[in-house]
Amino acid sequence: MKRRLAGLVAGLTLLTTAQTAYAAPGSDLADQANAGWFAATAQLISAQPHAVVKTAGGSALMVSGFAQPRANGVFGIASNPDPAQLARFADELPSFNQPWVVRVRGDVSANPVAAAHGLNTVDHRSLTALPATEYRPLIGSPAGVTVRRVDGSAASTFLDIAVAASGVPADSVRNQFIPAVFDSPAASPYLVYVDGKPVASALAVRGGNAVITSYLFTLPAYAGHGYTVLAASAALRDAFIHGAKLAVAPSDPNVQPVLDALHFRAVDTWTTFS
């Protein structure tokens, strides 16, 4: 069965300002992971020409320009964001005419801001993290398999692999795979080739001291051989070499095996209302 689109937006976050910093050393790992997710994915979405972001009171409003609900909405970055600010941001979202969500930290069953806007479908998932000190690179690869760092010239290859793996129409996600995403100095894009054919992808994007992983896909005919893990491991290694201290990734059933193989561990729970 082809994978759903969740992997395409798993890494999306908010375009923030320089004042939004990575959590201070010694702070709770969940806080570090949330702040790191926020900073790192800001680099990913900053390549999009129509992104709209506002931050205040420990929460943020984000409209990414993507059609997926999880890529637009009001997001609690702090463990206890100002509820009044959360509500003000939520009041603005309908004017953008995009599907959107309210997401907060913690395992909760209801949220008054979400309820006020009719967002009553609840989803829980983990935010996972991997400190650089715990990263263990994969050594070697099978015969005929090559892992390569690429650039924006491979944007269409990333798109093709994602579309084949997820089954979504290419035009519905094409704007997520523009060359600028992969040419960013903060990006580490990798492809896995089998006998010269690109079959799996991974993108790591750095922000502050953190790095997020996204676009973790393998062509269906090549699934089950660990190729996405190879790509993701190489991307993370590159990001850690360039100074990242913590990798973060939202858990999703489609990517959880990859995260498990790389020894990510859950550090927080996100509750999303849609």
Side-chain angles (χ1 to χ4, degrees):
M1 180 180 296
K2 292 184 177 180
R3 297 197 298 168
R4 294 182 180 273
L5 185 60
L8 291 176
V9 298
L12 294 179
T13 188
L14 317 175
L15 179 58
T16 185
T17 63
Q19 287 73 29
T20 302
Y22 184 77
S27 63
D28 181 80
L29 185 57
D31 290 335
Q32 294 183 39
N34 277 276
W37 172 87
F38 186 85
T41 320
Q43 296 298 322
L44 175 62
I45 202 170
S46 67
Q48 302 300 326
H50 303 298
V52 177
V53 173
K54 302 178 183 181
T55 61
S59 62
L61 173 152
M62 185 268 283
V63 179
S64 67
F66 303 152
Q68 295 79 44
R70 289 179 184 273
N72 309 288
V74 181
F75 301 85
I77 308 303
S79 56
N80 293 292
D82 177 9
Q85 184 60 62
L86 203 73
R88 285 192 288 270
F89 280 155
D91 288 341
E92 293 186 45
L93 257 301
S95 66
F96 293 100
N97 297 313
Q98 294 283 348
W100 59 284
V101 301
V102 169
R103 196 193 73 207
V104 295
R105 292 174 57 183
D107 186 345
V108 300
S109 59
N111 178 275
V113 174
H117 290 272
L119 303 176
N120 298 312
T121 300
V122 183
D123 173 73
H124 300 98
R125 64 186 60 193
S126 298
L127 176 64
T128 70
L130 175 68
T133 54
E134 298 178 13
Y135 168 72
R136 298 294 179 266
L138 300 179
I139 305 300
S141 57
V145 177
T146 305
V147 184
R148 299 177 188 167
R149 194 184 196 283
V150 294
D151 56 24
S153 64
S156 61
T157 302
F158 273 80
L159 173 63
D160 291 343
I161 294 173
V163 167
S166 65
V168 301
D171 288 342
S172 70
V173 295
R174 193 177 302 278
N175 62 340
Q176 298 183 35
F177 294 87
I178 58 177
V181 169
F182 305 97
D183 283 334
S184 166
S188 298
Y190 278 78
L191 292 172
V192 171
Y193 295 78
V194 176
D195 297 328
K197 177 180 180 177
V199 303
S201 65
L203 173 69
V205 180
R206 304 183 308 278
N209 289 336
V211 56
I212 56 104
T213 57
S214 57
Y215 302 166
L216 305 179
F217 292 107
T218 296
L219 293 178
Y222 292 84
H225 298 284
Y227 297 141
T228 309
V229 176
L230 283 175
S233 180
L236 287 175
R237 180 178 182 272
D238 191 70
F240 289 140
I241 288 173
H242 282 85
K245 303 300 182 185
L246 183 70
V248 295
S251 176
D252 178 89
N254 293 319
V255 300
Q256 191 59 49
V258 177
L259 302 180
D260 290 342
L262 295 170
H263 306 293
F264 279 74
R265 65 180 187 271
V267 297
D268 203 358
T269 299
W270 285 348
T271 300
T272 302
F273 300 89
S274 60

